[in-house]
């Protein structure tokens, strides 16, 4: 507020009037100017006349009114938080002052480090510049020598002098433009490591730096490096160009040991206060010993470790010097006043917090009591269970809203009533009165009882009531509490479940399959339908026998060899709802029946793990399958006989050749014996040839006999090349008769297959014979009468297989019969039966293989057909299950 006096006069002769203008900050008029009070000077100043006691009373009154407007809980909170805040502010002020002083001290320490590092960097720079100038002068004086020997002697003398003067120099050498060493000097430590001057000249750092000085034509420092991988000492190079007639003809190479640069560039006083290190541009340690990370202060805000790093010129950023100040004492022990203030503040805060927590517990207890009361009242009003309280005389003293809602009667209509109550049905009043007397006398069932209750509108519903005594805090009984639940819907669901159970049981009893359920690890039979009881009676033996014979034994079958194994071994690890069922076919001698067994684990109604077994009678189906197998076997034998019958002329022609040769040899020997012109050697040769032809005819007959001989299917580990060779011997007889050339390719080192070799030979012979017949019927010229058999390994559907393909140069397969050629009794031959290809596909598929046919195209023209099938390669288990004498080789 600014006060000043001014004199104002009117336009007449009136005497001047003195006013006092009081300018109050913060008060402005409508035009934005500060608000002014113009008062006559003779009038009393209202601000000066205000009574300070009055102002204090007004402020106190305002505070009292604000305080009384607060809730009691908020007043308690303010009473606790006010002194707590004052203590915390005091502690914050002390802490801020302490940390401000520490920050000032740390700042001064950092400035000292920066100043000392700059001094060290200047000393290192001056020493490097001094050495650089001396080497430049030596390079200039080197060219003033009269000849090369004088130059070499001069350089060696200079290098030795420099090495003695500057211990950090470990190598000084003179190289030419090809980086060949002309002369040089090495320190003893460098020679001790086995290095030579040529090794240093051959370093990639030497070549790179030499290339730079040839471009820049001035001295260049290399980046720090390690001349030997096994060495931990870092080095760097200084190369001075040597000029002759203005051209760079070589360089002086100076190699520095960076570790030795520090002792001659850092004073002892600085070394005692700092950890001095030299680093490269990637902050890799080159020289010196830094302060370990674990040696840093545990309280860095109290006593941090100051450090500073700067590059060293003229080397550049590739060499940096860093100084780390050694940590001094924490200097906290002497600050006793600070810690005493902190301790007293903490004690005060703890006392205030303890008092506040105590008051909060009391308030929480009060709020919890109120909340519990409200909760119980809300729970009673919102629950679906009706509650009714009676005194010891049987008079209703309390009903909750749920009870009123269930019965339809208001609370006023029920409270105070005695038996008979309005909600009792008239026809059940005698029964309910007797039950009420039992309750009042203390005879009631803990499990409750079921009654019928009448609503106000006259309808009835089923309810279950539970009775319990009401005990007061002194332990005396003051009445009875009855809870009532509407069970009309549960009764209806129970009746529906009972009817559903009856229907389910009727269906299971009428099944033509045996169904039994038994718990694992027990001989109890939980369920058995009518057919099971007819077959096995009411004992569990039939269930367990079927499970054991089918190999589905779970934990119920005990094996002494598994005593030390988990009793649940063999059980499914998946959830019961996702565990797949197993199936097997067994023969039960007691019933003389074949049964298909299906098993599944399930959780019984009481929580026990059980196994359900469904057994279906498949005796008729097994007999039909056996008969079909016998018919298929007879069809295979018949097909082989038909094949050999069709090839009879070829076989006769093939046998005629060795028989005619035998006859000719015999007639020749007889004629020569009669003329006595046969020597013993000629007789021996003739007999050997006769024996060979007889053996050849015998092989043909034996092969035919083995092919057409009827035998049981016998799958063994078979060699593919042997099967193919046996089939080719018979197939070639037919193709030669038809003047068809047969070529074949069998891949080397084919794996063996698990197959019946006779059946696979039959498939190959049928396919090759059909190919020859197709070529013969098409009337192809001799140059186009070709059949090719290829046997190669393949990868089909992710499996290793052997593929057999028969390619012919016949007319191909018409598109309209492509989908029918493998059907039974379908043939395109005039005298064919239509079972050959159908039987071939059956044989291949029984070996888990596939047979297919397609045409061979040359552009849009069909140039032949191709029949191929594949068989899976034998697995490791096939090798384990088959002995060596069973392998067909």
């Amino acid at each position: 507020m600014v006060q000043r006096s001014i004199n104002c006069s009117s336009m007449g002769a009136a005497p001047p009037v003195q006013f006092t203008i009081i300018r109050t900050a913060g008060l402005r008029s409508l035009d934005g100017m500060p608000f002014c009070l113009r008062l006559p000077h003779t009038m009393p100043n209202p601000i000066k006349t205000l009574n300070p006691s009055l102002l204090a009373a007004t402020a106190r009154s305002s505070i009292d009114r604000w305080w009384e407007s607060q809730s009691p809980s908020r007043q308690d909170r303010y009473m606790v938080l006010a002194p707590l805040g004052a203590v915390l502010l005091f502690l914050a002020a002390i802490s801020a002052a302490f940390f401000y002083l520490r920050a000032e001290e740390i700042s001064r320490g950092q400035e000292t480090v920066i100043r000392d590092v700059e001094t060290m960097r200047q000393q290192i720079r001056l020493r490097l510049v001094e050495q650089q100038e001396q080497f430049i002068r030596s390079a200039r004086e080197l060219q003033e020598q009269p000849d090369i020997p004088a130059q070499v002697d001069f350089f060696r003398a200079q290098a030795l002098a420099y090495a003695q003067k500057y211990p950090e120099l470990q190598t000084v050498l003179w190289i030419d433009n090809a980086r060949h060493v002309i002369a040089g000097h090495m320190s003893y430590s460098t020679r001790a490591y086995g290095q030579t001057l040529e090794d240093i000249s051959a370093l990639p750092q030497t070549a790179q730096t030499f290339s730079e000085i040839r471009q820049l034509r001035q001295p260049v420092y290399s980046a720090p490096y390690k001349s030997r991988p096994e060495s931990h000492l870092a080095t760097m190079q200084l190369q001075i160009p040597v000029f002759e007639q203005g051209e760079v003809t070589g360089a002086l190479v100076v190699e520095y040991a960076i570790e030795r640069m520090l002792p001659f560039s850092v004073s002892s006083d600085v070394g005692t206060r700092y950890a001095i290190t030299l680093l490269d541009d990637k902050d890799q340690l080159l020289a010196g010993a830094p302060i370990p990370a674990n040696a840093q202060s545990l309280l860095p805000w109290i006593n941090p470790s100051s450090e500073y790093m700067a590059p060293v010129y003229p080397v550049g950023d590739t060499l940096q010097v860093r100084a780390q100040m050694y940590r001094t004492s924490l200097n906290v022990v002497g600050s006793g006043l600070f810690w005493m203030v902190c301790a007293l503040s903490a004690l005060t805060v703890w006392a205030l917090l303890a008092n506040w927590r105590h008051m909060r517990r009391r308030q929480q207890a009060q709020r919890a009591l109120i909340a519990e009361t409200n909760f119980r009242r809300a729970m009673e009003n919102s629950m679906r269970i009706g509650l009714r309280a009676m005194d010891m005389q049987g008079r209703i003293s309390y009903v909750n809203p749920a009870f009123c809602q269930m019965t339809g009667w208001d609370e006023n209509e029920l409270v105070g009533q005695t038996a008979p109550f309005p909600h009792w049905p008239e026809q059940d009043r005698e029964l309910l009165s007797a039950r009420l007397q039992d309750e009042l006398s203390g005879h009631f069932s803990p499990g409750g009882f079921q009654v019928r209750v009448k609503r106000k509108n006259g309808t009835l519903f089923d309810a279950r009531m539970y009775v319990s005594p009401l005990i007061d805090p002194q332990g005396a009984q003051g009445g009875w509490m009855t809870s009532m639940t509407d069970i009309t819907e549960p009764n209806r669901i129970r009746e529906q479940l009972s009817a559903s159970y009856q229907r389910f049981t009727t269906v299971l009893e009428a099944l033509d399959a045996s169904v039994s359920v038994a718990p694992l690890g027990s001989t109890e039979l939980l369920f058995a339908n009518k057919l099971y009881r007819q077959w096995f009676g009411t004992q569990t033996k039939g269930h367990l026998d079927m499970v054991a014979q089918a190999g589905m034994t779970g934990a119920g079958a005990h094996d002494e060899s598994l005593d030390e194994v988990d009793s649940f071994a063999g059980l499914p690890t998946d959830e019961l709802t996702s565990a797949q069922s197993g199936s097997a076919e067994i023969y039960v001698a007691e019933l003389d029946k074949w049964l298909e067994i299906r098993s599944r684990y399930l959780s019984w109604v009481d929580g026990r793990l059980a196994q359900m077994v469904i057994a279906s009678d498949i005796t008729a189906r097994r007999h039909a399958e056996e008969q079909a197998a016998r018919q298929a076997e007879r069809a295979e034998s018949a097909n082989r006989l038909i094949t050999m019958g069709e090839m009879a002329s070829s076989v006769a022609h093939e046998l005629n050749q060795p028989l005619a040769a035998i006859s000719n040899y015999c007639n020749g020997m007889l004629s020569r014996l009669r003329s006595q012109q046969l020597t013993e050697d000629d007789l021996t040769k003739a007999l050997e040839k006769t024996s060979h032809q007889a053996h050849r005819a015998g092989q043909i007959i034996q092969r035919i006999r083995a092919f057409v001989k009827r035998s049981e299917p016998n799958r063994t580990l078979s060699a593919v090349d042997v099967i193919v060779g046996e089939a080719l011997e018979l197939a070639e007889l037919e193709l030669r008769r038809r003047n068809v050339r047969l070529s074949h390719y069998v891949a080397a080192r084919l794996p063996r297959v698990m197959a019946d070799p006779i059946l696979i030979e039959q498939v190959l012979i049928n396919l090759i014979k059909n190919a020859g017949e197709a070529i013969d019927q098409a009337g192809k010229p001799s140059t186009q009468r070709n059949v090719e058999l290829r046997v190669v390994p393949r990868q089909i559907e992710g499996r290793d297989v052997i593929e057999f393909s028969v390619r012919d140069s016949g007319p191909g397969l018409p598109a309209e019969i492509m989908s029918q050629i493998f059907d039974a009794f379908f043939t395109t031959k005039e005298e064919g039966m239509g079972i050959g290809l159908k039987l071939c596909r059956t044989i291949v598929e029984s070996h888990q293989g596939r047979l297919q046919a397609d045409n061979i195209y040359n552009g849009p023209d069909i140039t032949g057909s191709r029949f191929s099938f594949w068989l899976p390669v034998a697995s490791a288990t096939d090798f384990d299950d088959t002995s060596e004498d069973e392998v067909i080789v």
Side-chain angles (χ1 to χ4, degrees), residues 652-664:
H653 175 74
E654 192 69 20
L655 287 175
N656 185 52
Q657 294 181 2
L659 293 178
I662 292 172
S663 177
N664 292 335

PDB file of all heavy atoms in Angstrom, residues 652-664:
ATOM      1  N   ALA A 652       7.701-122.894 -72.887  1.00  0.00           N
ATOM      2  CA  ALA A 652       8.061-124.048 -73.731  1.00  0.00           C
ATOM      3  C   ALA A 652       9.175-123.663 -74.704  1.00  0.00           C
ATOM      4  O   ALA A 652      10.124-124.440 -74.928  1.00  0.00           O
ATOM      5  CB  ALA A 652       6.823-124.526 -74.501  1.00  0.00           C
ATOM      6  N   HIS A 653       9.062-122.448 -75.274  1.00  0.00           N
ATOM      7  CA  HIS A 653      10.121-122.004 -76.183  1.00  0.00           C
ATOM      8  C   HIS A 653      11.452-121.854 -75.455  1.00  0.00           C
ATOM      9  O   HIS A 653      12.504-122.207 -75.989  1.00  0.00           O
ATOM     10  CB  HIS A 653       9.701-120.671 -76.814  1.00  0.00           C
ATOM     11  CG  HIS A 653      10.768-120.062 -77.674  1.00  0.00           C
ATOM     12  ND1 HIS A 653      11.113-120.552 -78.940  1.00  0.00           N
ATOM     13  CD2 HIS A 653      11.599-119.012 -77.441  1.00  0.00           C
ATOM     14  CE1 HIS A 653      12.089-119.820 -79.434  1.00  0.00           C
ATOM     15  NE2 HIS A 653      12.400-118.874 -78.551  1.00  0.00           N
ATOM     16  N   GLU A 654      11.391-121.334 -74.216  1.00  0.00           N
ATOM     17  CA  GLU A 654      12.628-121.136 -73.466  1.00  0.00           C
ATOM     18  C   GLU A 654      13.244-122.473 -73.082  1.00  0.00           C
ATOM     19  O   GLU A 654      14.471-122.620 -73.086  1.00  0.00           O
ATOM     20  CB  GLU A 654      12.327-120.296 -72.219  1.00  0.00           C
ATOM     21  CG  GLU A 654      13.557-119.786 -71.517  1.00  0.00           C
ATOM     22  CD  GLU A 654      14.281-118.727 -72.323  1.00  0.00           C
ATOM     23  OE1 GLU A 654      13.664-118.112 -73.236  1.00  0.00           O
ATOM     24  OE2 GLU A 654      15.477-118.510 -72.061  1.00  0.00           O
ATOM     25  N   LEU A 655      12.411-123.476 -72.728  1.00  0.00           N
ATOM     26  CA  LEU A 655      12.943-124.803 -72.381  1.00  0.00           C
ATOM     27  C   LEU A 655      13.441-125.557 -73.599  1.00  0.00           C
ATOM     28  O   LEU A 655      14.313-126.425 -73.493  1.00  0.00           O
ATOM     29  CB  LEU A 655      11.864-125.632 -71.672  1.00  0.00           C
ATOM     30  CG  LEU A 655      11.522-125.224 -70.229  1.00  0.00           C
ATOM     31  CD1 LEU A 655      10.362-126.049 -69.721  1.00  0.00           C
ATOM     32  CD2 LEU A 655      12.729-125.416 -69.336  1.00  0.00           C
ATOM     33  N   ASN A 656      12.882-125.252 -74.772  1.00  0.00           N
ATOM     34  CA  ASN A 656      13.269-125.982 -75.978  1.00  0.00           C
ATOM     35  C   ASN A 656      14.723-125.726 -76.329  1.00  0.00           C
ATOM     36  O   ASN A 656      15.406-126.611 -76.859  1.00  0.00           O
ATOM     37  CB  ASN A 656      12.357-125.562 -77.130  1.00  0.00           C
ATOM     38  CG  ASN A 656      12.629-126.387 -78.389  1.00  0.00           C
ATOM     39  OD1 ASN A 656      12.638-127.615 -78.346  1.00  0.00           O
ATOM     40  ND2 ASN A 656      12.873-125.702 -79.500  1.00  0.00           N
ATOM     41  N   GLN A 657      15.219-124.498 -76.029  1.00  0.00           N
ATOM     42  CA  GLN A 657      16.608-124.195 -76.378  1.00  0.00           C
ATOM     43  C   GLN A 657      17.607-125.045 -75.587  1.00  0.00           C
ATOM     44  O   GLN A 657      18.488-125.675 -76.193  1.00  0.00           O
ATOM     45  CB  GLN A 657      16.861-122.712 -76.164  1.00  0.00           C
ATOM     46  CG  GLN A 657      16.078-121.818 -77.111  1.00  0.00           C
ATOM     47  CD  GLN A 657      16.373-120.355 -76.893  1.00  0.00           C
ATOM     48  OE1 GLN A 657      17.195-120.014 -76.062  1.00  0.00           O
ATOM     49  NE2 GLN A 657      15.709-119.500 -77.675  1.00  0.00           N
ATOM     50  N   PRO A 658      17.571-125.136 -74.261  1.00  0.00           N
ATOM     51  CA  PRO A 658      18.546-126.011 -73.579  1.00  0.00           C
ATOM     52  C   PRO A 658      18.346-127.481 -73.900  1.00  0.00           C
ATOM     53  O   PRO A 658      19.313-128.238 -73.999  1.00  0.00           O
ATOM     54  CB  PRO A 658      18.304-125.710 -72.095  1.00  0.00           C
ATOM     55  CG  PRO A 658      16.943-125.145 -72.017  1.00  0.00           C
ATOM     56  CD  PRO A 658      16.726-124.417 -73.294  1.00  0.00           C
ATOM     57  N   LEU A 659      17.082-127.921 -74.109  1.00  0.00           N
ATOM     58  CA  LEU A 659      16.856-129.331 -74.440  1.00  0.00           C
ATOM     59  C   LEU A 659      17.430-129.661 -75.818  1.00  0.00           C
ATOM     60  O   LEU A 659      18.012-130.745 -76.042  1.00  0.00           O
ATOM     61  CB  LEU A 659      15.360-129.646 -74.390  1.00  0.00           C
ATOM     62  CG  LEU A 659      14.724-129.570 -72.991  1.00  0.00           C
ATOM     63  CD1 LEU A 659      13.242-129.852 -73.066  1.00  0.00           C
ATOM     64  CD2 LEU A 659      15.394-130.564 -72.050  1.00  0.00           C
ATOM     65  N   ALA A 660      17.246-128.765 -76.808  1.00  0.00           N
ATOM     66  CA  ALA A 660      17.811-128.997 -78.147  1.00  0.00           C
ATOM     67  C   ALA A 660      19.333-129.017 -78.088  1.00  0.00           C
ATOM     68  O   ALA A 660      19.986-129.827 -78.762  1.00  0.00           O
ATOM     69  CB  ALA A 660      17.325-127.912 -79.100  1.00  0.00           C
ATOM     70  N   ALA A 661      19.897-128.101 -77.238  1.00  0.00           N
ATOM     71  CA  ALA A 661      21.354-128.099 -77.118  1.00  0.00           C
ATOM     72  C   ALA A 661      21.847-129.401 -76.499  1.00  0.00           C
ATOM     73  O   ALA A 661      22.867-129.963 -76.927  1.00  0.00           O
ATOM     74  CB  ALA A 661      21.778-126.901 -76.262  1.00  0.00           C
ATOM     75  N   ILE A 662      21.130-129.891 -75.482  1.00  0.00           N
ATOM     76  CA  ILE A 662      21.527-131.173 -74.862  1.00  0.00           C
ATOM     77  C   ILE A 662      21.471-132.295 -75.883  1.00  0.00           C
ATOM     78  O   ILE A 662      22.374-133.145 -75.972  1.00  0.00           O
ATOM     79  CB  ILE A 662      20.608-131.461 -73.651  1.00  0.00           C
ATOM     80  CG1 ILE A 662      20.874-130.436 -72.531  1.00  0.00           C
ATOM     81  CG2 ILE A 662      20.811-132.877 -73.138  1.00  0.00           C
ATOM     82  CD1 ILE A 662      19.887-130.537 -71.395  1.00  0.00           C
ATOM     83  N   SER A 663      20.380-132.310 -76.701  1.00  0.00           N
ATOM     84  CA  SER A 663      20.248-133.355 -77.730  1.00  0.00           C
ATOM     85  C   SER A 663      21.389-133.265 -78.742  1.00  0.00           C
ATOM     86  O   SER A 663      21.972-134.283 -79.141  1.00  0.00           O
ATOM     87  CB  SER A 663      18.893-133.210 -78.427  1.00  0.00           C
ATOM     88  OG  SER A 663      18.761-134.152 -79.475  1.00  0.00           O
ATOM     89  N   ASN A 664      21.739-132.075 -79.176  1.00  0.00           N
ATOM     90  CA  ASN A 664      22.815-131.910 -80.158  1.00  0.00           C
ATOM     91  C   ASN A 664      24.151-132.374 -79.577  1.00  0.00           C
ATOM     92  O   ASN A 664      24.949-133.056 -80.268  1.00  0.00           O
ATOM     93  CB  ASN A 664      22.922-130.455 -80.586  1.00  0.00           C
ATOM     94  CG  ASN A 664      21.708-130.017 -81.405  1.00  0.00           C
ATOM     95  OD1 ASN A 664      21.054-130.850 -82.021  1.00  0.00           O
ATOM     96  ND2 ASN A 664      21.415-128.721 -81.392  1.00  0.00           N
TER      97      ASN A 664
END
